[in-house]
mmCIF file with all atom_site columns, all heavy atoms in Angstrom:
data_model
loop_
_atom_site.group_PDB
_atom_site.id
_atom_site.type_symbol
_atom_site.label_atom_id
_atom_site.label_alt_id
_atom_site.label_comp_id
_atom_site.label_asym_id
_atom_site.label_entity_id
_atom_site.label_seq_id
_atom_site.pdbx_PDB_ins_code
_atom_site.Cartn_x
_atom_site.Cartn_y
_atom_site.Cartn_z
_atom_site.occupancy
_atom_site.B_iso_or_equiv
_atom_site.pdbx_formal_charge
_atom_site.auth_seq_id
_atom_site.auth_comp_id
_atom_site.auth_asym_id
_atom_site.auth_atom_id
_atom_site.pdbx_PDB_model_num
ATOM 1   N N   . VAL A 1 49 ? 241.154 193.140 109.335 1.00 86.00 ? 49 VAL A N   1
ATOM 2   C CA  . VAL A 1 49 ? 240.168 193.706 110.251 1.00 86.00 ? 49 VAL A CA  1
ATOM 3   C C   . VAL A 1 49 ? 240.873 194.446 111.379 1.00 86.00 ? 49 VAL A C   1
ATOM 4   O O   . VAL A 1 49 ? 240.521 195.561 111.742 1.00 86.00 ? 49 VAL A O   1
ATOM 5   C CB  . VAL A 1 49 ? 239.264 192.593 110.848 1.00 86.00 ? 49 VAL A CB  1
ATOM 6   C CG1 . VAL A 1 49 ? 238.291 193.153 111.865 1.00 86.00 ? 49 VAL A CG1 1
ATOM 7   C CG2 . VAL A 1 49 ? 238.496 191.911 109.734 1.00 86.00 ? 49 VAL A CG2 1
ATOM 8   N N   . LYS A 1 50 ? 241.933 193.800 111.904 1.00 89.00 ? 50 LYS A N   1
ATOM 9   C CA  . LYS A 1 50 ? 242.627 194.399 113.041 1.00 89.00 ? 50 LYS A CA  1
ATOM 10  C C   . LYS A 1 50 ? 243.281 195.723 112.651 1.00 89.00 ? 50 LYS A C   1
ATOM 11  O O   . LYS A 1 50 ? 243.218 196.709 113.387 1.00 89.00 ? 50 LYS A O   1
ATOM 12  C CB  . LYS A 1 50 ? 243.669 193.441 113.597 1.00 89.00 ? 50 LYS A CB  1
ATOM 13  C CG  . LYS A 1 50 ? 244.233 193.996 114.881 1.00 89.00 ? 50 LYS A CG  1
ATOM 14  C CD  . LYS A 1 50 ? 245.252 193.128 115.553 1.00 89.00 ? 50 LYS A CD  1
ATOM 15  C CE  . LYS A 1 50 ? 245.743 193.892 116.778 1.00 89.00 ? 50 LYS A CE  1
ATOM 16  N NZ  . LYS A 1 50 ? 247.076 193.576 117.169 1.00 89.00 ? 50 LYS A NZ  1
ATOM 17  N N   . SER A 1 51 ? 243.919 195.766 111.484 1.00 89.00 ? 51 SER A N   1
ATOM 18  C CA  . SER A 1 51 ? 244.609 197.014 111.123 1.00 89.00 ? 51 SER A CA  1
ATOM 19  C C   . SER A 1 51 ? 243.583 198.110 110.843 1.00 89.00 ? 51 SER A C   1
ATOM 20  O O   . SER A 1 51 ? 243.793 199.277 111.171 1.00 89.00 ? 51 SER A O   1
ATOM 21  C CB  . SER A 1 51 ? 245.541 196.805 109.932 1.00 89.00 ? 51 SER A CB  1
ATOM 22  O OG  . SER A 1 51 ? 244.791 196.618 108.763 1.00 89.00 ? 51 SER A OG  1
ATOM 23  N N   . ASP A 1 52 ? 242.444 197.717 110.289 1.00 89.00 ? 52 ASP A N   1
ATOM 24  C CA  . ASP A 1 52 ? 241.367 198.662 110.019 1.00 89.00 ? 52 ASP A CA  1
ATOM 25  C C   . ASP A 1 52 ? 240.826 199.253 111.339 1.00 89.00 ? 52 ASP A C   1
ATOM 26  O O   . ASP A 1 52 ? 240.697 200.468 111.494 1.00 89.00 ? 52 ASP A O   1
ATOM 27  C CB  . ASP A 1 52 ? 240.251 197.919 109.274 1.00 89.00 ? 52 ASP A CB  1
ATOM 28  C CG  . ASP A 1 52 ? 239.245 198.887 108.676 1.00 89.00 ? 52 ASP A CG  1
ATOM 29  O OD1 . ASP A 1 52 ? 239.674 199.830 108.010 1.00 89.00 ? 52 ASP A OD1 1
ATOM 30  O OD2 . ASP A 1 52 ? 238.040 198.685 108.897 1.00 89.00 ? 52 ASP A OD2 1
ATOM 31  N N   . ILE A 1 53 ? 240.548 198.365 112.292 1.00 94.00 ? 53 ILE A N   1
ATOM 32  C CA  . ILE A 1 53 ? 240.031 198.809 113.587 1.00 94.00 ? 53 ILE A CA  1
ATOM 33  C C   . ILE A 1 53 ? 241.070 199.686 114.286 1.00 94.00 ? 53 ILE A C   1
ATOM 34  O O   . ILE A 1 53 ? 240.765 200.766 114.780 1.00 94.00 ? 53 ILE A O   1
ATOM 35  C CB  . ILE A 1 53 ? 239.674 197.588 114.475 1.00 94.00 ? 53 ILE A CB  1
ATOM 36  C CG1 . ILE A 1 53 ? 238.445 196.860 113.901 1.00 94.00 ? 53 ILE A CG1 1
ATOM 37  C CG2 . ILE A 1 53 ? 239.402 198.019 115.922 1.00 94.00 ? 53 ILE A CG2 1
ATOM 38  C CD1 . ILE A 1 53 ? 238.100 195.575 114.609 1.00 94.00 ? 53 ILE A CD1 1
ATOM 39  N N   . GLY A 1 54 ? 242.307 199.225 114.292 1.00 94.00 ? 54 GLY A N   1
ATOM 40  C CA  . GLY A 1 54 ? 243.381 199.969 114.949 1.00 94.00 ? 54 GLY A CA  1
ATOM 41  C C   . GLY A 1 54 ? 243.538 201.360 114.358 1.00 94.00 ? 54 GLY A C   1
ATOM 42  O O   . GLY A 1 54 ? 243.681 202.353 115.081 1.00 94.00 ? 54 GLY A O   1
ATOM 43  N N   . GLY A 1 55 ? 243.472 201.446 113.031 1.00 95.00 ? 55 GLY A N   1
ATOM 44  C CA  . GLY A 1 55 ? 243.619 202.735 112.345 1.00 95.00 ? 55 GLY A CA  1
ATOM 45  C C   . GLY A 1 55 ? 242.495 203.694 112.705 1.00 95.00 ? 55 GLY A C   1
ATOM 46  O O   . GLY A 1 55 ? 242.720 204.887 112.946 1.00 95.00 ? 55 GLY A O   1
ATOM 47  N N   . ASN A 1 56 ? 241.277 203.172 112.761 1.00 96.00 ? 56 ASN A N   1
ATOM 48  C CA  . ASN A 1 56 ? 240.125 204.022 113.082 1.00 96.00 ? 56 ASN A CA  1
ATOM 49  C C   . ASN A 1 56 ? 240.143 204.477 114.547 1.00 96.00 ? 56 ASN A C   1
ATOM 50  O O   . ASN A 1 56 ? 239.795 205.609 114.862 1.00 96.00 ? 56 ASN A O   1
ATOM 51  C CB  . ASN A 1 56 ? 238.810 203.310 112.749 1.00 96.00 ? 56 ASN A CB  1
ATOM 52  C CG  . ASN A 1 56 ? 238.586 203.258 111.244 1.00 96.00 ? 56 ASN A CG  1
ATOM 53  O OD1 . ASN A 1 56 ? 238.923 204.203 110.538 1.00 96.00 ? 56 ASN A OD1 1
ATOM 54  N ND2 . ASN A 1 56 ? 238.056 202.164 110.750 1.00 96.00 ? 56 ASN A ND2 1
ATOM 55  N N   . ILE A 1 57 ? 240.578 203.582 115.429 1.00 97.00 ? 57 ILE A N   1
ATOM 56  C CA  . ILE A 1 57 ? 240.689 203.961 116.840 1.00 97.00 ? 57 ILE A CA  1
ATOM 57  C C   . ILE A 1 57 ? 241.713 205.100 116.972 1.00 97.00 ? 57 ILE A C   1
ATOM 58  O O   . ILE A 1 57 ? 241.470 206.104 117.639 1.00 97.00 ? 57 ILE A O   1
ATOM 59  C CB  . ILE A 1 57 ? 241.116 202.762 117.720 1.00 97.00 ? 57 ILE A CB  1
ATOM 60  C CG1 . ILE A 1 57 ? 239.978 201.737 117.807 1.00 97.00 ? 57 ILE A CG1 1
ATOM 61  C CG2 . ILE A 1 57 ? 241.501 203.230 119.127 1.00 97.00 ? 57 ILE A CG2 1
ATOM 62  C CD1 . ILE A 1 57 ? 240.323 200.458 118.544 1.00 97.00 ? 57 ILE A CD1 1
ATOM 63  N N   . THR A 1 58 ? 242.862 204.939 116.308 1.00 97.00 ? 58 THR A N   1
ATOM 64  C CA  . THR A 1 58 ? 243.921 205.954 116.390 1.00 97.00 ? 58 THR A CA  1
ATOM 65  C C   . THR A 1 58 ? 243.430 207.300 115.872 1.00 97.00 ? 58 THR A C   1
ATOM 66  O O   . THR A 1 58 ? 243.677 208.353 116.472 1.00 97.00 ? 58 THR A O   1
ATOM 67  C CB  . THR A 1 58 ? 245.154 205.492 115.588 1.00 97.00 ? 58 THR A CB  1
ATOM 68  O OG1 . THR A 1 58 ? 245.537 204.208 116.072 1.00 97.00 ? 58 THR A OG1 1
ATOM 69  C CG2 . THR A 1 58 ? 246.319 206.444 115.735 1.00 97.00 ? 58 THR A CG2 1
ATOM 70  N N   . ARG A 1 59 ? 242.713 207.273 114.751 1.00 97.00 ? 59 ARG A N   1
ATOM 71  C CA  . ARG A 1 59 ? 242.204 208.518 114.157 1.00 97.00 ? 59 ARG A CA  1
ATOM 72  C C   . ARG A 1 59 ? 241.280 209.249 115.143 1.00 97.00 ? 59 ARG A C   1
ATOM 73  O O   . ARG A 1 59 ? 241.399 210.452 115.350 1.00 97.00 ? 59 ARG A O   1
ATOM 74  C CB  . ARG A 1 59 ? 241.437 208.186 112.875 1.00 97.00 ? 59 ARG A CB  1
ATOM 75  C CG  . ARG A 1 59 ? 240.887 209.413 112.176 1.00 97.00 ? 59 ARG A CG  1
ATOM 76  C CD  . ARG A 1 59 ? 239.974 209.037 111.044 1.00 97.00 ? 59 ARG A CD  1
ATOM 77  N NE  . ARG A 1 59 ? 240.585 208.147 110.086 1.00 97.00 ? 59 ARG A NE  1
ATOM 78  C CZ  . ARG A 1 59 ? 239.952 207.667 109.008 1.00 97.00 ? 59 ARG A CZ  1
ATOM 79  N NH1 . ARG A 1 59 ? 238.697 208.013 108.776 1.00 97.00 ? 59 ARG A NH1 1
ATOM 80  N NH2 . ARG A 1 59 ? 240.548 206.853 108.174 1.00 97.00 ? 59 ARG A NH2 1
ATOM 81  N N   . LEU A 1 60 ? 240.369 208.496 115.745 1.00 97.00 ? 60 LEU A N   1
ATOM 82  C CA  . LEU A 1 60 ? 239.413 209.104 116.683 1.00 97.00 ? 60 LEU A CA  1
ATOM 83  C C   . LEU A 1 60 ? 240.113 209.547 117.966 1.00 97.00 ? 60 LEU A C   1
ATOM 84  O O   . LEU A 1 60 ? 239.809 210.591 118.529 1.00 97.00 ? 60 LEU A O   1
ATOM 85  C CB  . LEU A 1 60 ? 238.301 208.099 117.005 1.00 97.00 ? 60 LEU A CB  1
ATOM 86  C CG  . LEU A 1 60 ? 237.391 207.770 115.815 1.00 97.00 ? 60 LEU A CG  1
ATOM 87  C CD1 . LEU A 1 60 ? 236.613 206.488 116.064 1.00 97.00 ? 60 LEU A CD1 1
ATOM 88  C CD2 . LEU A 1 60 ? 236.423 208.904 115.515 1.00 97.00 ? 60 LEU A CD2 1
ATOM 89  N N   . GLU A 1 61 ? 241.089 208.747 118.386 1.00 97.00 ? 61 GLU A N   1
ATOM 90  C CA  . GLU A 1 61 ? 241.799 209.059 119.620 1.00 97.00 ? 61 GLU A CA  1
ATOM 91  C C   . GLU A 1 61 ? 242.627 210.345 119.449 1.00 97.00 ? 61 GLU A C   1
ATOM 92  O O   . GLU A 1 61 ? 242.669 211.183 120.340 1.00 97.00 ? 61 GLU A O   1
ATOM 93  C CB  . GLU A 1 61 ? 242.735 207.896 119.945 1.00 97.00 ? 61 GLU A CB  1
ATOM 94  C CG  . GLU A 1 61 ? 243.010 207.767 121.408 1.00 97.00 ? 61 GLU A CG  1
ATOM 95  C CD  . GLU A 1 61 ? 243.614 206.410 121.729 1.00 97.00 ? 61 GLU A CD  1
ATOM 96  O OE1 . GLU A 1 61 ? 244.518 205.948 120.996 1.00 97.00 ? 61 GLU A OE1 1
ATOM 97  O OE2 . GLU A 1 61 ? 243.171 205.819 122.711 1.00 97.00 ? 61 GLU A OE2 1
ATOM 98  N N   . ASN A 1 62 ? 243.263 210.491 118.296 1.00 97.00 ? 62 ASN A N   1
ATOM 99  C CA  . ASN A 1 62 ? 244.061 211.693 118.049 1.00 97.00 ? 62 ASN A CA  1
ATOM 100 C C   . ASN A 1 62 ? 243.194 212.940 118.087 1.00 97.00 ? 62 ASN A C   1
ATOM 101 O O   . ASN A 1 62 ? 243.574 213.973 118.616 1.00 97.00 ? 62 ASN A O   1
ATOM 102 C CB  . ASN A 1 62 ? 244.797 211.601 116.708 1.00 97.00 ? 62 ASN A CB  1
ATOM 103 C CG  . ASN A 1 62 ? 245.927 210.579 116.783 1.00 97.00 ? 62 ASN A CG  1
ATOM 104 O OD1 . ASN A 1 62 ? 246.359 210.215 117.869 1.00 97.00 ? 62 ASN A OD1 1
ATOM 105 N ND2 . ASN A 1 62 ? 246.392 210.098 115.642 1.00 97.00 ? 62 ASN A ND2 1
ATOM 106 N N   . LYS A 1 63 ? 242.012 212.808 117.494 1.00 97.00 ? 63 LYS A N   1
ATOM 107 C CA  . LYS A 1 63 ? 241.065 213.936 117.494 1.00 97.00 ? 63 LYS A CA  1
ATOM 108 C C   . LYS A 1 63 ? 240.653 214.260 118.935 1.00 97.00 ? 63 LYS A C   1
ATOM 109 O O   . LYS A 1 63 ? 240.632 215.409 119.355 1.00 97.00 ? 63 LYS A O   1
ATOM 110 C CB  . LYS A 1 63 ? 239.844 213.558 116.660 1.00 97.00 ? 63 LYS A CB  1
ATOM 111 C CG  . LYS A 1 63 ? 238.797 214.639 116.568 1.00 97.00 ? 63 LYS A CG  1
ATOM 112 C CD  . LYS A 1 63 ? 239.211 215.716 115.593 1.00 97.00 ? 63 LYS A CD  1
ATOM 113 C CE  . LYS A 1 63 ? 238.045 216.629 115.281 1.00 97.00 ? 63 LYS A CE  1
ATOM 114 N NZ  . LYS A 1 63 ? 238.432 217.737 114.413 1.00 97.00 ? 63 LYS A NZ  1
ATOM 115 N N   . TYR A 1 64 ? 240.357 213.212 119.670 1.00 97.00 ? 64 TYR A N   1
ATOM 116 C CA  . TYR A 1 64 ? 239.949 213.390 121.076 1.00 97.00 ? 64 TYR A CA  1
ATOM 117 C C   . TYR A 1 64 ? 241.068 214.083 121.862 1.00 97.00 ? 64 TYR A C   1
ATOM 118 O O   . TYR A 1 64 ? 240.830 215.031 122.603 1.00 97.00 ? 64 TYR A O   1
ATOM 119 C CB  . TYR A 1 64 ? 239.628 212.025 121.695 1.00 97.00 ? 64 TYR A CB  1
ATOM 120 C CG  . TYR A 1 64 ? 239.537 212.047 123.208 1.00 97.00 ? 64 TYR A CG  1
ATOM 121 C CD1 . TYR A 1 64 ? 238.434 212.602 123.849 1.00 97.00 ? 64 TYR A CD1 1
ATOM 122 C CD2 . TYR A 1 64 ? 240.573 211.536 123.990 1.00 97.00 ? 64 TYR A CD2 1
ATOM 123 C CE1 . TYR A 1 64 ? 238.356 212.641 125.235 1.00 97.00 ? 64 TYR A CE1 1
ATOM 124 C CE2 . TYR A 1 64 ? 240.511 211.576 125.379 1.00 97.00 ? 64 TYR A CE2 1
ATOM 125 C CZ  . TYR A 1 64 ? 239.406 212.131 126.000 1.00 97.00 ? 64 TYR A CZ  1
ATOM 126 O OH  . TYR A 1 64 ? 239.327 212.184 127.362 1.00 97.00 ? 64 TYR A OH  1
ATOM 127 N N   . LEU A 1 65 ? 242.309 213.610 121.679 1.00 97.00 ? 65 LEU A N   1
ATOM 128 C CA  . LEU A 1 65 ? 243.437 214.162 122.434 1.00 97.00 ? 65 LEU A CA  1
ATOM 129 C C   . LEU A 1 65 ? 243.731 215.608 122.072 1.00 97.00 ? 65 LEU A C   1
ATOM 130 O O   . LEU A 1 65 ? 244.319 216.347 122.845 1.00 97.00 ? 65 LEU A O   1
ATOM 131 C CB  . LEU A 1 65 ? 244.689 213.299 122.227 1.00 97.00 ? 65 LEU A CB  1
ATOM 132 C CG  . LEU A 1 65 ? 244.591 211.898 122.858 1.00 97.00 ? 65 LEU A CG  1
ATOM 133 C CD1 . LEU A 1 65 ? 245.738 211.015 122.410 1.00 97.00 ? 65 LEU A CD1 1
ATOM 134 C CD2 . LEU A 1 65 ? 244.546 211.986 124.382 1.00 97.00 ? 65 LEU A CD2 1
ATOM 135 N N   . SER A 1 66 ? 243.288 216.030 120.866 1.00 97.00 ? 66 SER A N   1
ATOM 136 C CA  . SER A 1 66 ? 243.520 217.416 120.453 1.00 97.00 ? 66 SER A CA  1
ATOM 137 C C   . SER A 1 66 ? 242.710 218.382 121.324 1.00 97.00 ? 66 SER A C   1
ATOM 138 O O   . SER A 1 66 ? 243.063 219.542 121.473 1.00 97.00 ? 66 SER A O   1
ATOM 139 C CB  . SER A 1 66 ? 243.163 217.611 118.979 1.00 97.00 ? 66 SER A CB  1
ATOM 140 O OG  . SER A 1 66 ? 241.750 217.580 118.818 1.00 97.00 ? 66 SER A OG  1
ATOM 141 N N   . ASN A 1 67 ? 241.602 217.869 121.900 1.00 97.00 ? 67 ASN A N   1
ATOM 142 C CA  . ASN A 1 67 ? 240.794 218.697 122.795 1.00 97.00 ? 67 ASN A CA  1
ATOM 143 C C   . ASN A 1 67 ? 239.846 217.809 123.615 1.00 97.00 ? 67 ASN A C   1
ATOM 144 O O   . ASN A 1 67 ? 238.661 217.690 123.308 1.00 97.00 ? 67 ASN A O   1
ATOM 145 C CB  . ASN A 1 67 ? 239.990 219.718 121.984 1.00 97.00 ? 67 ASN A CB  1
ATOM 146 C CG  . ASN A 1 67 ? 239.358 220.774 122.878 1.00 97.00 ? 67 ASN A CG  1
ATOM 147 O OD1 . ASN A 1 67 ? 239.140 220.545 124.065 1.00 97.00 ? 67 ASN A OD1 1
ATOM 148 N ND2 . ASN A 1 67 ? 239.055 221.930 122.319 1.00 97.00 ? 67 ASN A ND2 1
ATOM 149 N N   . PRO A 1 68 ? 240.397 217.155 124.658 1.00 97.00 ? 68 PRO A N   1
ATOM 150 C CA  . PRO A 1 68 ? 239.610 216.174 125.421 1.00 97.00 ? 68 PRO A CA  1
ATOM 151 C C   . PRO A 1 68 ? 238.311 216.737 126.000 1.00 97.00 ? 68 PRO A C   1
ATOM 152 O O   . PRO A 1 68 ? 237.333 216.021 126.146 1.00 97.00 ? 68 PRO A O   1
ATOM 153 C CB  . PRO A 1 68 ? 240.561 215.737 126.541 1.00 97.00 ? 68 PRO A CB  1
ATOM 154 C CG  . PRO A 1 68 ? 241.925 216.013 126.008 1.00 97.00 ? 68 PRO A CG  1
ATOM 155 C CD  . PRO A 1 68 ? 241.797 217.233 125.142 1.00 97.00 ? 68 PRO A CD  1
ATOM 156 N N   . THR A 1 69 ? 238.316 218.037 126.337 1.00 97.00 ? 69 THR A N   1
ATOM 157 C CA  . THR A 1 69 ? 237.095 218.607 126.912 1.00 97.00 ? 69 THR A CA  1
ATOM 158 C C   . THR A 1 69 ? 236.018 218.722 125.849 1.00 97.00 ? 69 THR A C   1
ATOM 159 O O   . THR A 1 69 ? 234.880 218.285 126.026 1.00 97.00 ? 69 THR A O   1
ATOM 160 C CB  . THR A 1 69 ? 237.383 220.017 127.480 1.00 97.00 ? 69 THR A CB  1
ATOM 161 O OG1 . THR A 1 69 ? 238.640 219.951 128.163 1.00 97.00 ? 69 THR A OG1 1
ATOM 162 C CG2 . THR A 1 69 ? 236.310 220.436 128.449 1.00 97.00 ? 69 THR A CG2 1
ATOM 163 N N   . GLU A 1 70 ? 236.408 219.273 124.707 1.00 97.00 ? 70 GLU A N   1
ATOM 164 C CA  . GLU A 1 70 ? 235.426 219.469 123.639 1.00 97.00 ? 70 GLU A CA  1
ATOM 165 C C   . GLU A 1 70 ? 234.935 218.140 123.068 1.00 97.00 ? 70 GLU A C   1
ATOM 166 O O   . GLU A 1 70 ? 233.763 217.987 122.738 1.00 97.00 ? 70 GLU A O   1
ATOM 167 C CB  . GLU A 1 70 ? 236.061 220.294 122.505 1.00 97.00 ? 70 GLU A CB  1
ATOM 168 C CG  . GLU A 1 70 ? 235.040 220.652 121.447 1.00 97.00 ? 70 GLU A CG  1
ATOM 169 C CD  . GLU A 1 70 ? 235.639 221.440 120.281 1.00 97.00 ? 70 GLU A CD  1
ATOM 170 O OE1 . GLU A 1 70 ? 236.778 221.932 120.391 1.00 97.00 ? 70 GLU A OE1 1
ATOM 171 O OE2 . GLU A 1 70 ? 234.943 221.534 119.258 1.00 97.00 ? 70 GLU A OE2 1
#
Side-chain angles (χ1 to χ4, degrees):
V49 176
K50 188 179 177 208
S51 71
D52 193 50
I53 291 174
N56 286 323
I57 290 175
T58 305
R59 181 188 305 179
L60 293 162
E61 207 165 44
N62 289 342
K63 181 77 168 176
Y64 165 75
L65 292 170
S66 72
N67 192 337
T69 318
E70 186 182 346

